[in-house]
């Protein structure tokens, strides 16, 4: 199974990318407030608990005094994460000094949850109703099989050993977001999102396309976060789910996050470890998986695996030379990496994959991947990636300073402000919030 902290980090990034209005909707649920608190870096958790019963803004300078000088970098990471997730909001006083306070809705519901607790909308079903439930080992095997089947169909359907239950419409959604094809003569290639997907980032694409399927992304995220409070291997009655949640569990079953079973009168779903660990703390390293990759200083690669999926993943950035029944032999070359970079895969993603999947014989070494290999991968990428392009729009000729500052605050609130010039009254905002920005400026007129 994947290392769950990687999934958690990406999943929380997905939560952080929601619009401010939808984030506030999530924080109506006290259990989600707890999930968000658990996902935060240790110092950020400390700040939340210190501010939990303070109802006035605290200056940034005051909070900087809460840490020693050598902890300032961790302080900045904690503040940035709290603002990204809108757990904490940033304002400025008349002297333009930053002030922080907890999101009132998050603060109220977390207070209530800590003092009074809460009851989940469903409890595990008694054993006398359910049929024999799968063991944890059987459940993990089911999850792995579902993932591998789906991923192989996505990358190379000819390599897949069996058909998948994923609907053709759902498969098209994933292929559109995760594969690209330059012309009809070339086979589809994985995009950057596709490579992340192979590292268990499927949830992001599933959430991103929720609106297209008539599903509110905030409702979908709320249910996925709620799953983290369930117990792996326990059965939960599907009658306690809404129609939307029943539809979601069918998709999650096809992807290996839950297993569906039917009894004589009742039906239930059983969460796998991947579903219950979606929001696990980044500090938790107890879920180390069994690695299979050995990289030598001469860039030779040995992967001790029988998985077709592992072989297909390695082909994305390495030259696979031959495959034995339980061993894949290849090499990381400049040409194979350039091909990966051109398809949108980054050096950090490749290095992270190699480190997370290091064979037990080398996993305990520091570093697990030779430094000359990681340094060279980054150097080869730097040859290609010298400029970052962000679609954006320039706004100028504001009628007054007040309208300009209101527009800056609005763009900053939505995470779309890239640059501002208070003297010339000009701002540049991301193209992602173009519609919202137009509507805001129309209201100002």
């Amino acid at each position: 199974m994947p290392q769950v902290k990687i999934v958690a980090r990406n999943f929380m990034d997905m939560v952080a990318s929601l619009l401010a209005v939808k984030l506030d909707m999530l924080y109506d649920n006290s259990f989600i407030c707890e999930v968000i608190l658990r996902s935060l870096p240790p110092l950020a958790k400390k700040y939340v608990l210190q501010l939990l019963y303070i109802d006035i803004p605290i200056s940034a300078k005051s909070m900087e005094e809460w840490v020693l000088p050598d902890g300032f970098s961790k302080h900045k990471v904690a503040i940035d994460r709290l603002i990204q997730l809108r757990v904490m909001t940033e304002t400025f006083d008349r002297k333009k000094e930053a002030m922080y306070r907890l999101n009132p809705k998050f603060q109220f519901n977390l207070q209530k949850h800590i003092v009074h607790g809460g009851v989940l909308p469903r409890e595990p079903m008694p054993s006398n109703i359910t049929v024999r439930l799968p063991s944890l080992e059987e459940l993990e095997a089911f999850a792995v099989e579902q993932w591998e089947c789906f991923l192989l169909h996505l990358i190379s359907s000819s390599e897949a050993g069996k058909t998948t239950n994923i609907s053709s419409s759902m498969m098209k959604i994933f292929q559109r977001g995760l594969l690209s094809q330059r012309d009809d003569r070339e086979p589809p290639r994985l995009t950057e999102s596709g490579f992340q997907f192979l590292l268990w980032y499927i949830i992001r694409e599933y959430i991103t396309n929720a609106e297209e399927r008539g599903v509110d992304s905030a409702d979908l995220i709320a249910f996925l976060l709620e799953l983290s409070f369930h117990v792996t291997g326990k059965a939960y009655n599907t009658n306690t789910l809404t129609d939307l949640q029943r539809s979601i569990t069918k998709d999650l079953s096809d992807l290996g996050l839950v297993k569906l079973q039917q009894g004589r009168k009742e039906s239930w779903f059983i969460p796998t470890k991947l579903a219950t660990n979606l929001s696990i703390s980044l500090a938790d390293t107890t879920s180390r998986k069994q690695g299979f990759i050995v990289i030598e200083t001469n860039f030779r690669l040995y992967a001790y695996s029988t998985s077709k999926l592992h072989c297909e993943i390695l082909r994305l950035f390495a030259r696979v030379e031959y495959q034995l029944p339980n061993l894949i032999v290849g090499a990381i070359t400049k040409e194979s990496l350039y091909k990966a970079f051109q398809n949108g895969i980054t050096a950090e993603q490749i290095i992270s994959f190699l480190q997370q999947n290091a064979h037990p014989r080398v996993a305990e070494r520091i570093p697990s991947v030779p430094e000359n290999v990681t340094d060279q991968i980054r150097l080869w990428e730097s040859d290609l990636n010298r400029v970052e392009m962000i679609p954006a729009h320039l706004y100028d000729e504001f009628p007054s300073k007040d309208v300009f500052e209101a527009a800056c605050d609005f763009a900053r609130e939505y995470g779309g402000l890239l640059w501002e010039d208070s003297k010339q009254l000009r701002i540049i905002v991301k193209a992602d919030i173009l519609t919202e920005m137009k509507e805001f400026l129309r209201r100002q007129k």
Side-chain angles (χ1 to χ4, degrees):
M1 291 294 287
Q3 190 174 3
V4 291
K5 66 177 184 177
I6 303 302
V7 180
R9 178 168 57 202
N10 181 261
F11 190 69
M12 286 304 160
D13 287 344
M14 186 75 212
V15 174
S17 69
L18 288 175
L19 297 177
V21 176
K22 293 200 172 184
L23 267 176
D24 286 343
M25 287 171 56
L26 282 182
Y27 295 152
D28 277 330
N29 186 316
S30 58
F31 282 101
I32 291 177
C33 294
E34 183 186 341
V35 170
I36 298 297
L37 178 64
R38 292 188 316 188
S39 76
L40 295 172
L43 192 57
K45 292 178 186 175
K46 179 176 181 291
Y47 289 163
V48 170
L49 296 177
Q50 283 184 250
L51 296 172
L52 192 57
Y53 289 93
I54 297 178
D55 295 324
I56 59 173
I58 302 295
S59 69
K61 289 183 178 179
S62 297
M63 290 189 67
E64 288 174 7
E65 295 174 358
W66 294 358
V67 293
L68 296 173
D70 60 355
F72 185 75
S73 60
K74 292 183 179 179
H75 167 80
K76 190 175 184 306
V77 169
I79 295 296
D80 289 346
R81 194 57 171 168
L82 290 170
I83 292 175
Q84 285 173 0
L85 288 166
R86 200 171 159 73
V87 170
M88 191 166 68
T89 55
E90 181 181 38
T91 57
F92 295 89
D93 61 14
R94 293 179 179 177
K95 297 180 180 179
K96 298 295 182 180
E97 292 185 0
M99 307 287 289
Y100 301 126
R101 67 161 297 172
L102 288 185
N103 181 322
K105 187 171 289 189
F106 179 91
Q107 185 178 25
F108 173 77
N109 284 307
L110 187 59
Q111 285 177 354
K112 184 173 68 173
H113 189 62
I114 289 175
V115 174
H116 302 292
V119 179
L120 279 170
R122 65 192 66 84
E123 292 293 329
M125 298 176 68
S127 57
N128 63 332
I129 295 179
T130 60
V131 296
R132 176 189 172 276
L133 297 180
S135 66
L136 294 181
E137 292 76 15
E138 291 170 336
L139 201 59
E140 184 164 338
F142 161 79
V144 170
E145 183 182 11
Q146 291 296 105
W147 274 110
E148 292 214 357
C149 176
F150 176 74
L151 293 176
L152 280 172
H153 271 279
L154 184 69
I155 305 170
S156 176
S157 59
S158 62
E159 293 291 333
K162 68 171 190 176
T163 58
T164 177
N165 293 325
I166 301 276
S167 66
S168 58
S169 59
M170 185 68 71
M171 185 65 78
K172 286 179 181 178
I173 287 175
F174 287 126
Q175 289 174 337
R176 184 182 62 212
L178 303 171
L179 295 173
S180 65
Q181 193 167 7
R182 295 179 183 177
D183 58 56
D184 294 335
R185 293 171 296 176
E186 291 189 1
R189 305 182 181 201
L190 281 167
T191 62
E192 175 185 357
S193 297
F195 187 73
Q196 291 176 336
F197 166 80
L198 289 173
L199 300 177
W200 315 101
Y201 282 75
I202 180 177
I203 298 301
R204 182 176 67 181
E205 201 64 31
Y206 184 62
I207 294 172
T208 301
N209 291 281
E211 306 284 350
E212 191 174 307
R213 305 190 306 274
V215 177
D216 187 277
S217 57
D219 291 338
L220 174 54
I221 288 176
F223 180 62
L224 291 171
L225 289 175
E226 186 186 296
L227 282 178
S228 65
F229 287 92
H230 292 63
V231 180
T232 303
K234 294 290 185 180
Y236 296 86
N237 198 325
T238 54
N239 289 334
T240 61
L241 302 175
T242 64
D243 291 340
L244 168 63
Q245 291 170 343
R246 286 195 193 95
S247 174
I248 293 172
T249 55
K250 289 180 181 177
D251 292 335
L252 298 184
S253 174
D254 292 335
L255 299 171
L257 274 74
V258 300
K259 184 176 178 62
L260 297 177
Q261 283 190 335
Q262 176 71 49
R264 291 183 178 178
K265 295 182 179 180
E266 306 281 358
S267 61
W268 52 86
F269 68 94
I270 308 166
T272 67
K273 187 187 294 184
L274 185 58
T276 55
N277 282 330
L278 275 174
S279 62
I280 196 167
S281 169
L282 300 183
D284 190 336
T285 57
T286 59
S287 300
R288 178 75 192 184
K289 66 176 178 177
Q290 186 81 359
F292 61 97
I293 297 175
V294 175
I295 296 287
E296 295 183 339
T297 55
N298 61 0
F299 294 83
R300 297 290 294 172
L301 180 149
Y302 303 92
Y304 295 87
S305 174
T306 59
S307 170
K308 293 179 181 179
L309 177 59
H310 289 162
C311 185
E312 293 300 317
I313 294 174
L314 293 173
R315 288 186 196 277
L316 296 174
F317 61 87
R319 185 185 68 213
V320 174
E321 297 174 354
Y322 54 89
Q323 184 175 6
L324 300 176
N326 65 342
L327 176 66
I328 303 166
V329 179
I332 293 178
T333 66
K334 185 177 182 179
E335 291 73 23
S336 66
L337 285 174
Y338 271 21
K339 180 181 176 182
F341 297 150
Q342 289 168 358
N343 288 337
I345 302 171
T346 68
E348 290 306 320
Q349 289 171 348
I350 294 171
I351 293 169
S352 176
F353 178 79
L354 295 174
Q355 290 171 340
Q356 293 152 22
N357 292 279
H359 191 279
R361 288 289 181 90
V362 297
E364 301 306 321
R365 296 179 191 170
I366 299 176
S368 57
V369 179
E371 285 185 328
N372 72 304
V373 175
T374 56
D375 289 345
Q376 189 62 63
I377 291 174
R378 292 189 178 101
L379 285 172
W380 279 332
E381 182 189 45
S382 66
D383 290 340
L384 299 176
N385 299 333
R386 298 182 183 274
V387 179
E388 181 182 5
M389 304 290 289
I390 301 176
H393 290 268
L394 170 69
Y395 292 89
D396 58 4
E397 299 183 1
F398 286 91
S400 68
K401 183 82 170 179
D402 290 340
V403 175
F404 168 77
E405 291 181 349
C408 289
D409 292 340
F410 179 84
R412 191 180 292 109
E413 178 103 1
Y414 276 77
L417 183 63
L418 293 174
W419 174 82
E420 62 179 296
D421 180 355
S422 57
K423 291 183 179 180
Q424 300 293 328
L425 302 186
R426 296 180 298 178
I427 61 172
I428 294 178
V429 301
K430 293 180 181 178
D432 296 347
I433 64 166
L434 177 62
T435 304
E436 292 81 0
M437 197 70 187
K438 283 183 177 179
E439 179 62 24
F440 172 80
L441 293 175
R442 188 188 64 78
R443 291 199 303 268
Q444 297 302 308
K445 292 180 182 179

